[in-house]
Amino acid sequence: MTDAALSLLPHLSPYDALPEQALDDLLKRIERTRVAAGEPIYTFGETLKGLYVIANGEVAVSDEAGHQVSLLQRENSFAERGLLRDGLAVTSARAVTDSDLICIPADLFHKLRAEHEPFRRFFDRNRSGAVVKSQPDFDLTNVRVDTLMVADPVTCAPTLPIQDAARIMRDRRISCLCVLEADRLAGIVTLRDLSGKALAEGLAPSTPVGQIMTKGPRVLPPTAIGSDVLHLMMEHRLGHLPIVSGGHLVGIVTQTDLTHFQASNAAGFVSDAARAETAQGLADVTARIPNLLVQLVAAGHRHDVVTRMITDIADVVTRRLLALAEQQFGPPPARYVWLACGSQGRQEQTGVSDQDNCLMFEDDLTEAQLAYFEPFAQFVSDGLNACGYVYCPGDMMATNPRWRQPVAVWQDYFKYWIANPSKEAQMLASVMFDLRAIGGDVSLFTGLQVETLKAAAANSIFTAHMATNALAHAPPLGLLKGLATIRSGEHRNTIDMKLNGVVPVVDLGRIYALQGELDVVNTRARLEAAMGQKIISRSGGRDLMDVYDLVAQTRLEHQATQIKLGKSPDNFLAPAQLSPFERSHLRDAFVVIKTMQSALMQGRGVLG
């Protein structure tokens, strides 16, 4: 192997973050090896020599059953999952082409992890999910200024007449203008300046703002935190604080921004929604959810905490709409339960959610009683749509008579799907097994859920079909550094983090729940329960939970970034936007998902 091949380590994460002495020691101890095409590097269950880094060539990684789960190229590393567990290989690796490999001995790998935080964070991220705090405080001490600020604030020249400045602020509904001179911040003029300096002193409308502006205003960099803003504003009685990076204006934070941040918490949303008197009032509440998502992610909350908070708001909005519907149409003529499926049912809503719901009511109703629930369902569904939970494209809503039925009809639905697992039945069952009662009489659903889970678990043909259906969504693994992107269309060169990232784990969790008759519907809760019931091995379950955390967190951070940029959030992430660190671990996460899918396909349900 040439010295040029070894030169890649000092420029590759996380080795580039090591102190000079540690890097020198590493380069002295690494082992260089060349493996011919087709030759094995290690096999499943073998004691690993260390961590491998590809200097040149291609390496195929396969699961215990021999199914290839990834094809790795230059700069990719492998074997870390086994090293992080017990030192035994959890996959097999072989050279596809003649390959030059660097091997970092196992003892040195663990020494570097123990002594150097960047090195540990790099490799532990793949094992423990996204590196975030589990329950951080939701306050200004852990939020960066670039999350709070308004980017690209309105600016003007110092020669702008004060009357024109007043008109701009009125028309744009803002309280200040940043004054630039030669592209540099020269000052700031506020509504208070216009009233206290210009109007009170009787200055002519043509007076330039340069005469009344605050020159050389106090500023902060975008790396500052929210409490820095608050303290500076309190100390100097400021209402506006420009944010400057490299001498250039990049944003501004106002007292109003701080107030909005501190009011952006789930409890406040729940309280406001519970008191809303109209669907429009509820829509005013949910319009603030994107900002809440950004704030929660910026504060370091885990994805499952964020999505639970957002779903809690959707639940309260739904229950408030049910109450408003009862006010409009009168007391319901019979007991009913409103159920949500999809992401709301699983308590996993993000910034992109349509509505998936159904309505169940007691048996033996008259035609007049049945007729009550049609406009009732329409009212609630229309209200949800107005609140941003758009109509389901597949018409999986209580407004569809098929999904607005007595308990007995729902019993027949599930019995038929289990006995006749056609493609449609599998699809419908997948959706309906995520049902969760939101409002009404929950007891109407509880008995049906227990009965259905028992019947489904007892039918091996049905569960086999459902398992096959769960493998329909493959993680995006391909030849280009392990990640396969969408090849054409609007989302070309991106990964669908929902369909090919989160959904495969959701599908696996649902199958485990069916196998164990588990009544929980949240994906993480299903994985935990499946481990507890030994439906999957504890090691396999931990790996799957870790990678689910990583994939779901990456998806949520992508959406938060889009919202901050003023875009509508979606699920399409371009790998090119990620660092090598993030791409490497995302690829490894998809490998684990593929491995667990392979295990399910073979009926093992475990990862060695």
Side-chain angles (χ1 to χ4, degrees), residues 188-270:
I188 184 172
V189 60
T190 68
L191 287 175
R192 180 175 293 183
D193 293 327
L194 290 175
S195 62
K197 296 179 181 178
L199 184 61
E201 297 297 330
L203 298 182
S206 60
T207 303
V209 296
Q211 288 190 23
I212 65 168
M213 71 180 184
T214 299
K215 298 179 180 179
R218 298 179 187 278
V219 301
L220 281 175
T223 54
I225 59 176
S227 58
D228 295 334
V229 178
L230 179 61
H231 296 162
L232 200 59
M233 284 184 168
M234 292 178 66
E235 181 182 357
H236 299 286
R237 298 182 181 181
L238 305 175
H240 306 79
L241 194 60
I243 308 302
V244 174
S245 177
H248 296 283
L249 179 72
V250 294
I252 193 164
V253 180
T254 69
Q255 287 183 344
T256 302
D257 296 323
L258 295 184
T259 301
H260 285 168
F261 171 82
Q262 292 171 319
S264 292
N265 62 75
F269 278 70
V270 167

Side-chain angles (χ1 to χ4, degrees), residues 276-551:
E277 294 297 329
T278 63
Q280 183 55 54
L282 288 168
D284 292 340
V285 174
T286 56
R288 293 155 35 205
I289 288 179
N291 184 59
L292 173 67
L293 186 150
V294 171
Q295 305 290 10
L296 290 172
V297 171
H301 285 280
R302 286 168 50 111
H303 72 95
D304 51 320
V305 174
V306 177
T307 55
R308 177 62 178 267
M309 289 184 180
I310 291 175
T311 305
D312 285 348
I313 297 168
D315 290 354
V316 174
V317 168
T318 303
R319 284 191 286 270
R320 187 58 186 148
L321 285 169
L322 291 171
L324 293 174
E326 290 185 15
Q327 289 178 19
Q328 176 151 335
F329 300 108
R335 293 182 301 138
Y336 75 88
V337 59
W338 183 278
L339 301 129
C341 43
S343 59
Q344 185 181 2
R346 297 189 305 273
Q347 296 178 297
E348 296 166 1
Q349 285 191 314
T350 66
V352 187
S353 296
D354 58 5
Q355 57 175 289
D356 298 283
N357 48 62
C358 58
L359 186 59
M360 188 181 297
F361 36 79
E362 59 183 311
D363 297 325
D364 303 321
L365 301 189
T366 66
E367 288 297 324
Q369 290 174 316
L370 291 172
Y372 169 92
F373 290 104
E374 182 176 352
F376 179 91
Q378 193 66 56
F379 178 94
V380 177
S381 184
D382 288 346
L384 289 171
N385 184 69
C387 290
Y389 309 105
V390 298
Y391 299 121
C392 174
D395 204 19
M396 186 71 70
M397 298 179 293
T399 51
N400 183 339
R402 187 180 186 187
W403 311 126
R404 189 179 67 246
Q405 293 291 340
V407 173
V409 173
W410 281 100
Q411 289 174 324
D412 290 341
Y413 282 165
F414 280 105
K415 287 178 182 177
Y416 181 82
W417 294 334
I418 293 170
N420 303 276
S422 64
K423 284 293 184 183
E424 183 190 36
Q426 294 170 45
M427 183 274 292
L428 293 174
S430 294
V431 173
M432 295 304 176
F433 278 122
D434 290 350
L435 284 175
R436 183 171 60 89
I438 304 299
D441 190 335
V442 177
S443 66
L444 289 172
F445 174 64
T446 304
L448 174 62
Q449 184 186 37
V450 173
E451 174 186 312
T452 301
L453 285 171
K454 184 176 181 179
N459 190 317
S460 58
I461 296 176
F462 173 76
T463 54
H465 279 283
M466 288 293 290
T468 300
N469 187 59
L471 303 176
H473 300 104
L477 291 169
L479 300 181
L480 184 58
K481 290 198 174 179
L483 293 176
T485 59
I486 298 171
R487 294 186 177 182
S488 61
E490 179 185 359
H491 302 296
R492 184 172 177 267
N493 295 328
T494 67
I495 293 171
D496 188 333
M497 292 295 290
K498 176 183 177 181
L499 196 62
N500 300 112
V502 171
V503 168
V505 185
V506 170
D507 289 343
L508 287 170
R510 186 184 299 113
I511 290 301
Y512 301 150
L514 288 178
Q515 292 175 339
E517 299 180 38
L518 309 173
D519 60 3
V520 290
V521 293
N522 175 266
T523 299
R524 237 177 164 275
R526 280 172 165 169
L527 298 179
E528 290 174 349
M531 283 190 289
Q533 295 291 327
K534 298 184 179 179
I535 297 165
I536 52 175
S537 70
R538 181 153 294 277
S539 59
R542 283 200 308 264
D543 277 348
L544 192 56
M545 285 182 64
D546 290 345
V547 302
Y548 175 60
D549 287 342
L550 176 60
V551 172

Side-chain angles (χ1 to χ4, degrees), residues 103-118:
C103 180
I104 300 172
D107 66 315
L108 179 57
F109 171 79
H110 291 300
K111 181 175 185 291
L112 292 171
R113 282 186 62 245
E115 297 179 357
H116 303 286
E117 176 64 18

